Amino acid sequence: MSKSLDQIDLKILQEIQDDGRITNVELAKRVGISPPPCLRRVRTLEEEGYIKGYRGLLDPAQLGFDVTVFASVHLSSQAEADLRGFEAFVRAEPLVRECWMLSGEVDFILKCVAPDMATFQNFVAHLTAAPHVRNVRTSLVLRNSKYAAAVPLELKSAAT
């Protein structure tokens, strides 16, 4: 962190996280300051990277993406150039929504969405043929028991 966040900053972040479409006037009211300093604080939080962006959360199933799969990928090489090459490969793949590099037996875990199993199976064939991919293990999501895209700021507030 580039600066120490005070309670007002944390309240601003929580409110924006809960409702990214909140107006500055409403945000200022909820955090207990006037709109001009509230806007300055929001801009500072954006400039310092605490706020990475604003977007709507879409329902994949409503849009025809009924298949969600996690793919565990083990590479044959952990040389930095090969890791970067794999990361570039997955960044170019639209079915891959998240890619996490891990420690341990698995090198990467991918969260993928697809409209159907045939589309996902074609992607897996493409993925297994990618350079330095030793093996891929997939797990089909049956249901999502928890989805919390937010950062647990309530833990940060309790610590200060």
Side-chain angles (χ1 to χ4, degrees):
M1 285 193 282
S2 59
K3 74 170 197 161
S4 178
L5 298 176
D6 65 17
Q7 287 301 312
I8 293 174
D9 290 329
L10 291 171
K11 286 180 188 176
I12 288 170
L13 292 172
Q14 185 66 57
E15 292 295 336
I16 289 174
Q17 188 168 247
D18 291 344
D19 179 5
R21 296 179 64 181
I22 191 170
T23 66
N24 183 59
V25 171
E26 180 62 24
L27 177 61
K29 186 167 79 173
R30 288 188 192 177
V31 301
I33 60 176
S34 65
C38 185
L39 185 58
R40 281 194 299 276
R41 282 176 177 256
V42 169
R43 287 188 177 145
T44 299
L45 291 166
E46 291 169 344
E47 290 165 4
E48 292 184 355
Y50 291 99
I51 299 172
K52 291 177 139 311
Y54 302 88
R55 55 178 58 101
L57 297 175
L58 307 181
D59 184 333
Q62 285 285 97
L63 295 164
F65 292 90
D66 295 321
V67 176
T68 301
V69 180
F70 287 92
S72 300
V73 180
H74 186 201
L75 302 182
S76 60
S77 167
Q78 283 72 39
E80 189 61 32
D82 298 331
L83 295 172
R84 289 182 192 271
F86 180 76
E87 290 170 330
F89 170 83
V90 296
R91 276 194 295 274
E93 295 298 325
L95 294 184
V96 178
R97 305 317 303 158
E98 296 181 37
C99 174
W100 298 85
M101 184 177 177
L102 307 175
S103 64
E105 293 185 33
V106 173
D107 294 309
F108 289 91
I109 191 158
L110 312 178
K111 179 182 177 185
C112 306
V113 297
D116 52 55
M117 281 305 294
T119 302
F120 181 72
Q121 287 172 329
N122 288 336
F123 168 70
V124 170
H126 179 57
L127 175 62
T128 57
H132 305 289
V133 172
R134 179 181 291 167
N135 65 46
V136 176
R137 291 195 174 147
T138 61
S139 298
L140 179 66
V141 171
L142 300 177
R143 74 173 165 234
N144 182 335
S145 300
K146 180 178 180 179
Y147 177 75
V151 175
L153 290 173
E154 62 274 12
L155 299 178
K156 183 108 178 117
S157 296
T160 56

